[in-house]
């Protein structure tokens, strides 16, 4: 008998528990989908369409809803001879500027036509934009441009100014670009430049966190497909839903918890997934979530985390926000990145606190100094450095922090 044997007790088909799985229908998002439908309807009517921006935390259904709606839109558009529709999808996860987004868009469009890619360097931003307009005009009709995790571009928002105005400025003649922006940051729009806010003229759709009942509704059909009959104890799905609802309200978290519980039952060589498996899975995933929470921060979030890690490495924690902000500005200068206001840095720190990545202390020194906050890491410095070192842009400052920590015997 070999070391590895196919499981025939727990999982019937684990695909519905995979992050990439696309369900046949979208549950518990009827109101959001109806707004989405209204926003996309002008494309079928062959008239100008507003840009669309989706806001919500990770795991609230923004991306899966977009794939679902665009799939139906593309299929239905074929019924109308006067509707020309193309879609292009760009993940901005590792893109931090309008230049990088534009180059990626150009290459996506060129590859779909069998053309060679352009270099990621060596062009001025305006030249890349001109190439982008040329490629878009070749498509004609309506081109829906999905920019997933668009908040990563920070203040470099020229592309959100250029694309919506491309037709009115005469840069394109035969195409109507429509932007669908997907953001995990509810504050993203507030930080756009005034000219971009005025130009976008977008429809906004908010995706709130799921509650426990909604998560149960999402999990049940996946569980029925994923597990053999009578494998799940009755309290497994409700408990997975409750844990995820109490934490982030993320469907992705609930699904991962259910999958992890199944894998633990499989490892135990048991024919039933129980409440104990869910609780053990929760403990395991909580450790992983801290790491993932750091990985999923925006570029600005990573810069703030980097600043706090520096103070941690030299033993100057807890650190006041004003001192932390000064270090953050220096890191942005080293990265050649725009810095945000001190208020926005405090917003990022608040998000990290909610993720359990940092600890916050409120101080009150009366009339002499008033009330203020101090911060320090709530996760091992080594773990933070691993994340920063895995992000190309932060490799240099992470190495400096690591050297400082070594000098102070903090690693």
């Amino acid at each position: 008998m070999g070391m590895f044997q196919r499981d025939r007790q727990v999982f019937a088909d684990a695909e519905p528990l995979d992050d990439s799985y696309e369900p046949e229908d979208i549950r518990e998002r009827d109101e959001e989908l109806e707004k989405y439908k209204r926003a996309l309807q002008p494309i079928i009517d062959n008239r100008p369409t507003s840009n669309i921006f989706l806001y919500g935390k990770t795991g609230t259904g923004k991306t899966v809803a977009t794939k679902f709606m665009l799939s139906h839109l593309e299929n239905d558009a074929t019924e109308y001879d006067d509707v020309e529709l193309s879609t292009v999808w760009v993940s901005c996860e590792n893109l931090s500027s309008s230049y990088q987004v534009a180059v990626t868009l150009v290459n996506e469009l060129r590859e779909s036509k069998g053309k060679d890619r352009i270099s990621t360097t060596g062009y001025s931003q305006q030249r890349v934009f001109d190439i982008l307009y040329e490629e878009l005009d070749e498509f004609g009709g309506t081109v829906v441009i999905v920019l997933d995790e668009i908040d990563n571009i920070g203040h470099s928002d020229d592309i959100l100014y250029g694309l919506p105005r491309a037709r009115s400025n005469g840069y394109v003649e035969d195409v109507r670009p429509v932007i669908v922006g997907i953001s995990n940051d509810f504050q993203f729009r507030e930080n756009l430049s005034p000219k971009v806010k005025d130009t976008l003229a977008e429809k906004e759709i908010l995706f709130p966190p799921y509650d426990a009942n909604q998560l149960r509704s999402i999990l049940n059909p996946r569980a029925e497909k994923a597990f053999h009959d009578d494998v799940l104890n009755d309290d497994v799905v409700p408990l997975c839903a409750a844990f995820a609802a109490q934490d982030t309200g993320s469907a992705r978290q609930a699904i991962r918890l259910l999958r992890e519980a199944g894998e633990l039952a499989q490892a135990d060589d048991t024919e039933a997934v129980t409440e104990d498996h869910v609780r053990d899975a929760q403990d395991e995933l909580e450790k992983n979530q801290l790491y993932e929470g750091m990985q999923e921060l925006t570029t600005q979030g990573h810069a703030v985390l980097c600043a706090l890690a520096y103070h941690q490495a030299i033993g100057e924690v807890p650190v006041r926000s004003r001192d932390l902000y000064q270090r953050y500005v220096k890191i942005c200068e080293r990265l050649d990145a725009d810095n945000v206001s001190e208020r926005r840095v405090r917003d990022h720190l608040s998000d990290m606190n909610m993720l359990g990545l940092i600890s916050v202390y409120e101080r009150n020194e009366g009339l002499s100094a008033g009330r203020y906050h101090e911060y320090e890491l709530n996760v091992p410095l080594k773990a933070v450095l691993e994340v920063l070192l895995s992000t190309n842009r932060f490799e240099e400052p992470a190495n400096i922090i690591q050297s400082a920590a070594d000098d102070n015997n903090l690693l």
Side-chain angles (χ1 to χ4, degrees):
M1 191 71 71
M3 180 183 294
F4 297 98
Q5 300 175 51
R6 180 167 295 180
D7 168 55
R8 301 187 186 279
Q9 294 185 149
V10 178
F11 293 108
D13 177 10
E15 185 180 357
L17 302 181
D18 191 79
D19 285 346
S20 62
Y21 177 73
E22 295 181 18
E24 296 174 359
D25 63 339
I26 307 297
R27 294 188 163 219
E28 305 300 336
R29 284 292 181 243
D30 292 347
E31 183 178 338
E32 291 78 10
L33 292 179
E34 181 58 33
K35 290 180 181 177
Y36 216 150
K37 180 185 174 184
R38 291 200 302 269
L40 293 170
Q41 180 62 39
I43 294 175
I44 296 297
D45 296 338
N46 207 11
R47 54 190 174 88
T49 306
S50 297
N51 301 299
I52 306 166
F53 270 65
L54 281 59
Y55 296 96
K57 293 296 185 181
T58 300
T60 52
K62 305 181 301 298
T63 298
V64 71
T66 299
K67 290 179 178 178
F68 179 80
M69 294 301 293
L70 291 185
S71 175
H72 280 276
L73 181 67
E74 289 171 333
N75 184 62
D76 295 343
T78 61
E79 300 294 321
Y80 303 91
D81 293 336
D82 61 344
V83 177
E84 293 181 65
L85 174 65
S86 306
T87 61
V88 57
W89 191 294
V90 170
S91 170
C92 302
E93 181 180 3
N94 295 310
L95 308 177
S96 58
S97 68
S98 284
Y99 179 92
Q100 292 175 344
V101 173
V103 168
T104 305
L105 269 173
V106 167
N107 286 330
E108 288 287 338
L109 293 167
R110 289 175 68 90
E111 281 188 352
S112 68
K113 295 241 178 186
K115 297 181 181 180
D116 292 335
R117 297 166 62 89
I118 67 169
S119 171
T120 57
T121 58
Y123 297 95
S124 68
Q125 178 168 285
Q126 187 55 55
R127 178 57 187 144
V128 174
F129 279 22
D130 290 341
I131 297 172
L132 175 58
Y133 299 144
E134 291 169 9
E135 296 296 335
L136 285 169
D137 229 13
E138 278 191 32
F139 275 78
T142 299
V143 177
V144 177
I145 301 168
V146 182
L147 302 177
D148 199 358
E149 299 190 44
I150 184 61
D151 39 279
N152 282 304
I153 69 170
H155 285 291
S156 179
D157 54 14
D158 291 343
I159 195 157
L160 299 181
Y161 181 72
L163 279 174
R165 294 172 58 88
R167 193 177 177 94
S168 62
N169 284 340
Y171 298 141
V172 297
E173 296 179 358
D174 302 322
V175 68
R176 286 179 180 154
V178 176
I179 298 174
V180 175
I182 303 176
S183 174
N184 297 330
D185 185 358
F186 287 98
Q187 305 293 324
F188 174 66
R189 193 183 192 285
E190 291 183 17
N191 295 299
L192 295 174
S193 61
K195 68 176 184 178
V196 171
K197 289 181 186 178
D198 185 56
T199 298
L200 272 178
E202 81 278 22
K203 305 280 188 182
E204 292 187 358
I205 307 175
L206 303 181
F207 283 69
Y210 294 106
D211 63 31
N213 289 331
Q214 290 173 323
L215 289 172
R216 286 174 67 175
S217 174
I218 292 168
L219 288 180
N220 279 325
R222 292 181 183 244
E224 289 175 7
K225 293 179 180 179
F227 294 94
H228 287 295
D229 293 341
D230 301 323
V231 164
L232 291 182
N233 283 8
D234 291 342
D235 53 3
V236 167
V237 166
L239 189 58
C240 288
F243 275 140
Q246 291 167 9
D247 188 7
T248 62
S250 163
R252 187 176 304 162
Q253 180 180 348
I255 292 164
R256 287 179 180 174
L257 182 56
L258 181 58
R259 184 180 65 219
E260 181 72 15
E263 289 174 354
L264 290 176
Q266 185 182 40
D268 286 346
D269 196 25
T270 180
E271 295 182 358
V273 183
T274 67
E275 178 182 330
D276 288 340
H277 289 124
V278 176
R279 295 188 182 281
D280 290 344
Q282 173 72 354
D283 291 341
E284 186 67 27
L285 289 180
E286 279 182 349
K287 299 174 188 175
N288 296 335
Q289 281 166 11
L290 291 174
Y291 189 82
E292 288 182 6
M294 287 188 284
Q295 284 185 315
E296 292 178 357
L297 293 174
T298 64
T299 300
Q300 291 295 334
H302 278 132
V304 175
L305 183 66
C306 193
L308 185 53
Y310 178 82
H311 282 279
Q312 197 88 22
I314 61 176
E316 293 182 356
V317 286
V319 57
R320 290 185 65 163
S321 58
R322 67 184 184 189
D323 299 323
L324 183 63
Y325 183 73
Q326 292 173 3
R327 177 57 53 186
Y328 155 80
V329 170
K330 290 179 180 178
I331 288 170
C332 287
E333 290 173 352
R334 180 176 287 273
L335 296 173
D336 194 25
D338 294 325
N339 60 274
V340 298
S341 66
E342 188 171 350
R343 181 183 64 81
R344 281 296 291 136
V345 166
R346 288 197 295 270
D347 289 340
H348 284 292
L349 289 166
S350 178
D351 289 342
M352 289 182 214
N353 183 41
M354 289 180 64
L355 289 170
L357 301 178
I358 67 173
S359 296
V360 184
Y361 308 100
E362 184 174 332
R363 310 296 190 198
N364 189 344
E365 296 188 3
L367 296 176
S368 60
R371 299 172 67 178
Y372 59 91
H373 290 93
E374 292 184 331
Y375 305 88
E376 67 178 336
L377 292 176
N378 194 36
V379 292
L381 178 59
K382 185 176 181 181
V384 174
L385 290 173
E386 285 177 4
V387 171
L388 294 174
L389 287 167
S390 69
T391 307
N392 290 337
R393 200 170 188 191
F394 287 87
E395 190 171 351
E396 182 185 355
N399 282 323
I400 293 173
I401 295 169
Q402 190 160 32
S403 297
D406 289 339
D407 292 342
N408 288 281
N409 296 315
L410 291 175
L411 282 182

